[in-house]
Amino acid sequence: MRYFAMIGGERRGPYELDELSGAGVRPDTYVWCKTMTDWQQARDVAEICRHFRRQLAGLNIPEKQPAENSVSEDPQDNIDTVPLRFRNYVRRSGTPVGDPLPEESADPDSPPRSMLVPAVIATLLCFPLTGFVAIYFAIMTRRLWKEGLKPGENAEDYRRMSHDYARQTKMWLGITFFLGLIFMAFLYRHSA
């Protein structure tokens, strides 16, 4: 689609979608194309808005054309860069795997901190329903770490999974604590 734009009080164009930002079109610039009944601000035109959002997010980078004789990479080649708990979802979705995210600070060679005691305390004192989930993740953290210490080809995967489960334990501990606070505030409010 080719657009005309009102820039500096003059009608300029026509511009292709990729040329609009280089021509000085901003969100408050009025634009028009053949399918429009009247001039509208660029922010009100869905196609232009979408294009600018993609450009801001870095998604509008021109794709490299593969050479004719080159073999295209399998999008699942980088599956090792996806956290273990998401790999099945990525495989089923067929989504190409991009560059890995920066590594987290968890060292797979050091054991994760045991959160079983805080999980039990939070379950007893705060909110039992979500506390049991925290206990489950704390127990699984310990089990996976022990599996990771056994010699085998999946040992490192088990150790990484144990760190993932430790993060899940911390998350559920936080949820348990805050739900307990809300529940206690509710009881206090309605008992007075």
Side-chain angles (χ1 to χ4, degrees):
M1 186 73 50
R2 298 177 65 107
Y3 290 93
F4 289 91
M6 290 297 281
I7 301 172
E10 298 178 10
R11 185 182 90 169
R12 297 190 184 167
Y15 299 110
E16 292 291 329
L17 200 56
D18 294 338
E19 300 171 329
L20 289 175
S21 61
V25 173
R26 302 291 173 252
D28 58 343
T29 304
Y30 282 91
V31 295
W32 178 84
C33 71
K34 289 181 185 179
T35 60
M36 298 167 61
T37 57
D38 200 5
W39 291 79
Q40 294 180 353
Q41 287 186 329
R43 77 175 116 228
D44 298 331
V45 180
E47 184 179 28
I48 296 173
C49 241
R50 219 177 0 261
H51 173 73
F52 281 152
R53 268 189 266 144
R54 284 186 187 135
Q55 202 171 26
L56 285 173
L59 299 175
N60 205 20
I61 299 169
E63 295 181 20
K64 296 177 183 175
Q65 297 295 329
E68 291 179 21
N69 297 334
S70 70
V71 178
S72 64
E73 266 188 50
D74 181 13
Q76 300 301 320
D77 282 348
N78 293 335
I79 197 72
D80 293 335
T81 62
V82 176
L84 292 171
R85 65 180 178 262
F86 298 120
R87 287 184 187 173
N88 287 334
Y89 299 114
V90 171
R91 283 188 186 112
R92 277 188 258 148
S93 72
T95 305
V97 180
D99 293 332
L101 295 173
E103 281 295 318
E104 296 179 14
S105 61
D107 179 20
D109 295 329
S110 64
R113 198 170 109 197
S114 176
M115 300 298 284
L116 185 59
V117 172
V120 170
I121 292 171
T123 302
L124 294 174
L125 298 179
C126 294
F127 199 74
L129 295 175
T130 55
F132 288 125
V133 178
I135 290 173
Y136 166 77
F137 279 110
I139 291 170
M140 289 303 295
T141 300
R142 199 177 269 184
R143 280 188 188 166
L144 288 168
W145 182 256
K146 286 181 181 176
E147 283 295 317
L149 294 178
K150 296 177 183 175
E153 61 184 53
N154 294 334
E156 187 174 340
D157 287 341
Y158 281 124
R159 290 193 303 266
R160 287 185 194 276
M161 282 176 55
S162 72
H163 283 281
D164 286 343
Y165 273 79
R167 280 190 290 276
Q168 290 291 326
T169 304
K170 290 176 188 175
M171 180 189 74
W172 282 103
L173 269 171
I175 291 170
T176 301
F177 178 74
F178 285 111
L179 284 177
L181 286 178
I182 291 169
F183 184 69
M184 294 297 174
F186 178 78
L187 286 178
Y188 178 77
R189 172 128 171 114
H190 289 291
S191 67

